[in-house]
Amino acid sequence: MIKTRRKLMRDGVYTGVREVLVSSLNIDGKEISEETRLTEDLNAESIDFLEIVFRLEKRFDIMIPQADLFPLDISDNSDYFEFDLGSARLTKKCIAALRERYTHVDWSGLGERPYLSDIPKQITVRTLVNYVES
């Protein structure tokens, strides 16, 4: 019974998140699943993240502190990346901080030596659902 209620709640959150993405990004909801990546699959940009946060707050009557949902301030810490042929690679310290702070994100797709530019690629619809649920 508890499992069924939890699934119904998650389905409701997923539906709400999907509606937010459709209206924020002006897209067809048919292309959205929990695995859909915001930047890679839906072409969301950083300005879109502001709109998404605003609409999530309204839709679910929650407050989302700045940089609480999306890791926007990682590049501010020089201990979190090192340069490799002009590109910023994430340090182990950064990856550990990401995993600790953003528990709603599945970081398993980062790979062995990820770049700073790989961070937005990890944000999926499931990320948003997990955040709202928590």
Side-chain angles (χ1 to χ4, degrees), residues 16 43 102:
N43 298 315
Y102 299 97

Side-chain angles (χ1 to χ4, degrees), residues 109-120:
L110 280 180
E112 277 295 308
R113 297 210 30 180
Y115 289 100
L116 186 61
S117 60
D118 291 331
I119 291 175

Side-chain angles (χ1 to χ4, degrees), residues 20-47:
V20 163
L21 293 173
V22 166
S23 60
S24 297
L25 302 173
N26 295 318
I27 56 172
D28 182 358
K30 294 176 188 171
E31 58 190 272
I32 297 175
S33 72
E34 284 203 33
E35 292 77 30
T36 302
R37 297 170 297 171
L38 271 61
T39 57
E40 297 292 294
D41 301 323
L42 301 179
N43 298 315
E45 298 177 357
S46 57
I47 191 76

